Amino acid sequence: MNVDPALRSRIDALLQSNRVVLFMKGDPSMPQCGFSAKASGILNGLGIDYAHVNVLADPEIREGIKAYGDWPTIPQLYVDGELVGGSDIVIQMANSGELHTLLGVAAPDRTPPTIEITPAAAEMLRGAIADAGAGYALQVSVDADYRAQLQLGPIDPQAIAAEVDGVRAQFDLASAPRAQGLRIDWVDDERGRGLVVEHPKTRTVKSISAADAARMLGDGALTLVDVRAPEERAIASVRVPFSVLDGDAASEVEALAKDTPLAFLCHHGRRSAAAADHFRRLGFTNVHNVEGGIDAWSQQVDAAVPRY
């Protein structure tokens, strides 16, 4: 596939103007695919300046960049105008230290994290690894929000690894420091039956009752944000500083101090939960979702608010 000369000039200009360019789906603060999230997460972890191009917002570049570097997938990392590769190659180079050398940053810290695996969890994991066959280990990945994912995978001699009670836990370069303090347990209680992973730095959206939200709002200790559509607010509404998360209102909320106590409100609590999680990902540290939404508000706080 040939690249249109005008498009080639656009890409050339991008690469000439920026030493490091990542063509990705979404942007580094909100990647739109897992591979783009991994590549951008590695670059973010290195603390370097880099340009990014959201190919979802530019269909011409989305297809053209594949032909430009003869590379069929997104993301793609370019350094000094040369294609480095996609997410798998970026991960491999980061883990080996090659990417650090290429970008001129300090060699990576490969110190294994200290994690806890309870005896019950260790017994379960040893059994699962044995069932998988020789040469398997526990793969632990921890994202920027300190949420962990566990899976079994082949033993990688190059991985950062910790041995705990007969279980080999392997980490990629970004996950290793984030995994410090991780606790893996096996439970059979009201939480369900299975592995539970806990991290002291996990940031979550807190649930809050309509009654507690109203009390805190009255005390000036909470900023309430109604995320419903205008036609819904015309039926039933609560007086709040921000009535909808679009346009100027969204920008005003995003400009608040990151420790501002925020609570999000919708009809029954589902849409507001998504909005609350979005602001948690933006770095807000005290985020709540009003359980039951304005329907609960009508029942717990003010019966004059219509239910619909």
Side-chain angles (χ1 to χ4, degrees), residues 15 18-21 77-84 99 102-103:
L15 300 180
N18 303 277
R19 182 178 180 231
V20 183
V21 182
L77 177 64
Y78 279 77
V79 177
D80 293 326
E82 298 293 330
L83 175 64
V84 174
L99 188 61
L102 177 64
L103 297 175

Side-chain angles (χ1 to χ4, degrees), residues 223 225 242 250-262 279 284:
T223 296
V225 184
F242 304 101
S251 299
E252 290 177 32
V253 179
E254 291 174 3
L256 296 173
K258 290 294 189 290
D259 60 353
T260 301
L262 297 175
F279 275 80
F284 286 83

Side-chain angles (χ1 to χ4, degrees), residues 37-302:
K38 290 177 180 179
S40 61
I42 287 172
L43 296 179
N44 293 341
L46 294 180
I48 64 166
D49 292 327
Y50 68 96
H52 71 275
V53 178
N54 178 6
V55 300
L56 299 180
D58 194 329
E60 189 178 38
I61 281 190
R62 181 177 183 175
E63 295 306 317
I65 193 63
K66 298 176 184 178
Y68 183 92
D70 194 22
W71 192 268
T73 59
I74 303 294
Q76 296 182 21
L77 177 64
Y78 279 77
V79 177
D80 293 326
E82 298 293 330
L83 175 64
V84 174
S87 61
D88 287 347
I89 291 178
V90 171
I91 292 169
Q92 291 169 10
M93 292 181 65
N95 287 334
S96 70
E98 292 177 81
L99 188 61
H100 298 69
T101 300
L102 177 64
L103 297 175
V105 299
D109 180 3
R110 298 184 60 85
T111 303
T114 299
I115 68 170
E116 177 186 357
I117 303 178
T118 67
E123 181 180 1
M124 178 272 169
L125 288 168
R126 288 195 300 267
I129 291 170
D131 289 343
Y136 275 80
L138 177 66
Q139 309 279 354
V140 183
S141 61
V142 184
D143 68 16
D145 287 329
Y146 296 95
R147 292 175 300 191
Q149 290 187 336
L150 309 178
Q151 62 182 18
L152 299 184
I155 289 177
D156 179 1
Q158 302 303 317
I160 299 171
E163 191 83 21
V164 182
D165 199 4
V167 177
R168 175 184 170 88
Q170 299 183 161
F171 310 85
D172 60 46
L173 196 63
S175 294
R178 295 172 183 161
Q180 185 69 28
L182 196 73
R183 184 176 188 269
I184 304 172
D185 193 9
W186 172 265
V187 301
D188 188 0
D189 54 25
E190 67 277 1
R191 291 172 291 179
R193 187 170 188 269
L195 291 171
V196 172
V197 184
E198 300 172 339
H199 198 293
K201 291 186 178 180
T202 300
R203 299 192 299 271
T204 60
V205 172
K206 306 166 189 174
S207 293
I208 187 171
S209 69
D212 286 342
R215 177 182 53 78
M216 292 179 66
L217 186 65
D219 293 340
L222 190 69
T223 296
L224 189 65
V225 184
D226 190 337
V227 304
R228 294 174 302 143
E231 55 268 24
E232 292 181 86
R233 299 197 307 276
I235 299 171
S237 64
V238 177
R239 188 178 297 276
V240 297
F242 304 101
S243 60
V244 65
L245 278 181
D246 59 14
D248 294 338
S251 299
E252 290 177 32
V253 179
E254 291 174 3
L256 296 173
K258 290 294 189 290
D259 60 353
T260 301
L262 297 175
F264 293 85
L265 178 78
C266 69
H267 190 191
H268 288 119
R270 289 184 290 271
R271 283 172 289 169
S272 54
D277 191 61
H278 170 70
F279 275 80
R280 179 190 61 80
R281 289 174 179 272
L282 291 179
F284 286 83
T285 58
N286 196 358
V287 183
H288 305 75
N289 180 49
V290 179
E291 292 180 331
I294 198 165
D295 191 63
W297 196 285
S298 176
Q299 299 176 72
Q300 299 175 20
V301 180
D302 185 359

